[in-house]
Amino acid sequence: MFSGSCRRTCAGIFLLAGGAWAAPPSAAAAALPDSAIQAEPTITELAAEREWRALLHAPDAKPRIRDPGFLLSSPNFSPEAELTATLQAFSTDSSETDAATRLRDICRFPARYEWLAQRTSAVRSDVDPVKDCPGIGEFFARAPADEISLVYASENLVSASSMMGHVMLELGGAAANGDRAEHAISFFTTVNARNVLWSAAASLTTGTRGFYTLSPYRERENDYLQREQRSVWTYRVSLDAAERRRVQLHLYELRRTTLTYFFDIHNCATFTADILAVAEPAMSDNTAPWMSPLDMIKNAVRLGRVDRYRLLPTAPWAMRMYDSQLSRARSTQIVRALRRGESIAPAPDAPLRERLLELLYQEALLKRLSDGTGVDSPTAASQLQSVQAQIAPLARTVDIDITQYKNPSATPQDAQWEVGSSHRRSSGAALSLRVLPAGRRLLDDQRQSFSTSELRIGETTVSTSLKTGAVFLDEFALYSVTSLLPLNPLGEGVSWRFALGYQNQFWRSDERTSFLGFSGGIGRTLALGDTVDSFALIGAGLGLRDSRPTAYPDLEIGLIGKWPGANRTILRYQVASDCCAGPDAIQRVGIEHLSPITRSLAVSLDAKREWSSVNGRTTVYLGLRRYF
């Protein structure tokens, strides 16, 4: 665990656009023998190198940035054409006019210049961009990068732009005046609050305007922790001085680039990966259809590029964490005392670590209570100061590392496919293929989270009947999210679900009816113990059933079992009634279970009974799930 609480300066907020970089020239190149110089790579070979493509944000030779100001070969881009144009811009000429133009181009693309000066004798290394380009020198002085870290802000399921979390870079170091300077480098888009669906559709199709900002880091961090109530994990990236220089040069290089944001192919994760790929090309590798913020973090950890961790939890997160470390009786005793405005003495002969845990738990509770929950704020605020005064001396002698507790980098991959077979007495057996390009399902491994949640974006299920040979779309979840967060120790918390898409449903006397629309619900989840949660949601659906308008209320209750080894079980009962077709209720009861085989494979089992007053069906399903 490390911290960064030092004095700092900031360079203000700048709208930039783009990201990646290159290394300084090596003096060893001048001493190469003639045979080595003759063996230097050709233009075709240079253009194929991953470092060059990373500088262009084109790991697969297709540029993610199409601004003509960034691509000299636009609109006829290729890595080789861009290399040829760049070499021409950096070529040496004796005239004063061409020399000035060359220096201007070098100062525009300093990362490309230093990388090419190392790789080919066609580019003379007679310019030091940091010394010879005033803007670059100023940028290096005001935004130093003695340390570079990946910062992950936890997901916000109610925000279309942050439903899978957000990743950005933190630059830190000693500024020219000797103070500590810390800056956040972030890429994002804005969402039209009055038309969220349009914004989501645009980010998947035409793209939306992307913003790349350099801003004071502590302001961004506090914004996540306080205003958005999102915990922040920091992963320091292991980079040498030359690699950090490449980062800075490339950040400057992209200061005027126009960016377009795409949810799937050009988001905060791919953008950040492209920046770090200049130092480590494998940073941009990804096996899933698109890269999520957690994929970016896990990739850095997998490559051994993370050497330190830090976690800054929100008060609600810390409250749940410390509550789980104490006995149920003790945590209940602490909560009751604090809610009455009473102080509580440490347990007799308690070890120092346990005393510190209790104090940290009280601190988290009092931060929430001082907001006005349960007791008057002044009393809670006064108690908070007293508790924090007791924490300080203990924290100097007892080390409690929370960085690996519920660590996002330990989560499974968030893309999956599943093949399975279902059987019904009425219609026989069917085979199905389900693909989830981004997200997770309720039964997936969620040991790194306090809640059970589901996020399905673009999930598609296609089935075929072995009896008739018919192939049909079983379900398309454009956007489906569920959050079953147990009540916290203060009795707070709301569970909810929302889904938009198409699915085949059992309804009244029909074996399969199509439903296109949305449904939602709200309720509560209660932790019955360490391994079982119960939930209840009341909601409704609205849409088209077989092309006819329909609306229905529904009620769902269930139990979630969280067993050792990421085995999970859900038992649920649901009842719904079609308001447009009479009062007949449709009921369903089922059990679902998931058992992991390996980290990337799992077996799923689903059995359910659905019935109305005139018909019923039983379905048994067995599937093999693959995470990637």
Side-chain angles (χ1 to χ4, degrees), residues 455-477:
L455 175 63
R456 297 185 291 147
I457 303 173
E459 182 186 68
T460 305
T461 304
V462 177
S463 300
T464 178
S465 170
L466 296 183
K467 183 177 180 180
T468 65
V471 179
F472 54 92
L473 176 64
D474 211 22
E475 182 178 11
F476 174 69

Side-chain angles (χ1 to χ4, degrees), residues 128-403:
D128 182 343
V130 177
K131 294 180 179 178
D132 300 331
C133 302
I136 298 178
E138 181 183 359
F139 174 68
F140 269 53
R142 299 181 68 183
D146 299 332
E147 293 182 353
I148 296 178
S149 300
L150 281 166
V151 178
Y152 173 74
S154 60
E155 66 186 15
N156 181 1
L157 291 175
V158 299
S159 170
S161 62
S162 302
M163 64 181 69
M164 300 187 76
H166 179 69
V167 65
M168 60 185 180
L169 290 175
E170 177 195 359
L171 306 184
N177 62 3
D179 288 344
R180 172 80 178 181
E182 296 169 329
H183 292 86
I185 305 292
S186 185
F187 178 59
F188 57 91
T189 190
T190 56
V191 176
N192 186 339
R194 291 181 292 182
N195 199 337
V196 175
L197 293 180
W198 181 90
S199 296
S203 72
L204 286 167
T205 53
T206 61
T208 56
R209 183 182 178 186
F211 297 95
Y212 183 36
T213 62
L214 169 70
S215 59
Y217 175 73
R218 293 301 167 188
E219 290 183 7
R220 294 301 307 275
E221 183 179 80
N222 290 334
D223 197 42
Y224 285 126
L225 290 171
Q226 304 301 326
R227 186 175 67 85
E228 299 186 21
Q229 288 292 294
R230 297 163 65 181
S231 296
V232 176
W233 283 262
T234 303
Y235 303 82
R236 194 175 72 175
V237 184
S238 177
L239 299 173
D240 60 32
E243 291 168 337
R244 294 196 302 272
R245 178 182 171 101
R246 296 171 202 165
V247 176
Q248 288 179 286
L249 287 176
H250 191 64
L251 296 178
Y252 179 85
E253 177 170 274
L254 293 158
R255 70 197 185 283
R256 296 176 182 169
T257 305
T258 299
L259 292 174
T260 302
Y261 179 98
F262 288 91
F263 180 80
D264 53 346
I265 61 174
H266 199 210
N267 53 41
C268 65
T270 58
F271 191 76
T272 305
D274 286 343
I275 292 175
L276 296 180
V278 181
E280 173 61 82
M283 283 286 190
S284 62
D285 291 347
N286 194 42
T287 58
W290 65 61
M291 178 181 285
S292 71
L294 279 179
D295 289 331
M296 167 79 267
I297 299 298
K298 288 184 283 189
N299 212 15
V301 173
R302 178 182 61 83
L303 293 170
R305 284 286 187 165
V306 172
D307 60 12
R308 288 188 185 179
Y309 299 79
R310 181 182 65 182
L311 165 61
L312 293 177
T314 62
W317 198 97
M319 189 193 309
R320 293 180 184 275
M321 176 182 63
Y322 294 125
D323 179 70
S324 69
Q325 304 294 300
L326 303 173
S327 69
R328 179 61 56 193
R330 184 59 175 168
S331 63
T332 301
Q333 183 182 16
I334 292 173
V335 170
R336 288 175 177 172
L338 294 183
R339 296 200 74 160
R340 292 193 298 263
E342 302 172 354
S343 60
I344 184 166
D349 302 321
L352 290 180
R353 185 179 187 279
E354 185 176 333
R355 289 180 59 189
L356 180 57
L357 279 173
E358 288 189 4
L359 288 170
L360 291 170
Y361 183 44
Q362 292 179 53
E363 179 187 39
L365 288 167
L366 289 167
K367 282 182 177 180
R368 178 64 182 133
L369 291 171
S370 62
D371 290 336
T373 302
V375 297
D376 61 290
S377 297
T379 299
S382 175
Q383 287 180 291
L384 177 60
Q385 292 180 352
S386 174
V387 167
Q388 289 175 332
Q390 297 176 62
I391 289 174
L394 273 178
R396 288 193 289 267
T397 59
V398 181
D399 181 27
I400 296 180
D401 184 3
I402 63 174
T403 59

Side-chain angles (χ1 to χ4, degrees), residues 523-541:
R524 291 292 181 94
T525 301
L526 179 65
L528 302 181
D530 294 334
T531 59
V532 178
D533 294 342
S534 64
F535 66 91
L537 301 170
I538 184 169

Side-chain angles (χ1 to χ4, degrees), residues 424 472-475 497 499 501-519 540-546 550 552 554 574 576 578 586 588 608 610 615 617:
R424 295 174 184 145
F472 54 92
L473 176 64
D474 211 22
E475 182 178 11
R497 58 176 167 82
Y502 167 91
Q503 65 178 165
N504 281 303
Q505 296 179 338
F506 169 82
W507 206 258
R508 291 178 59 80
S509 60
D510 298 321
E511 176 70 15
R512 190 175 72 242
T513 64
S514 62
F515 174 78
L516 175 64
F518 65 88
S519 62
L542 178 65
L544 298 175
R545 175 167 287 110
D546 290 339
T550 184
Y552 63 87
D554 68 1
Q574 187 175 18
D578 193 335
I586 292 84
R588 56 182 60 91
K608 61 185 175 184
E610 301 165 283
N615 193 21
R617 73 177 184 184

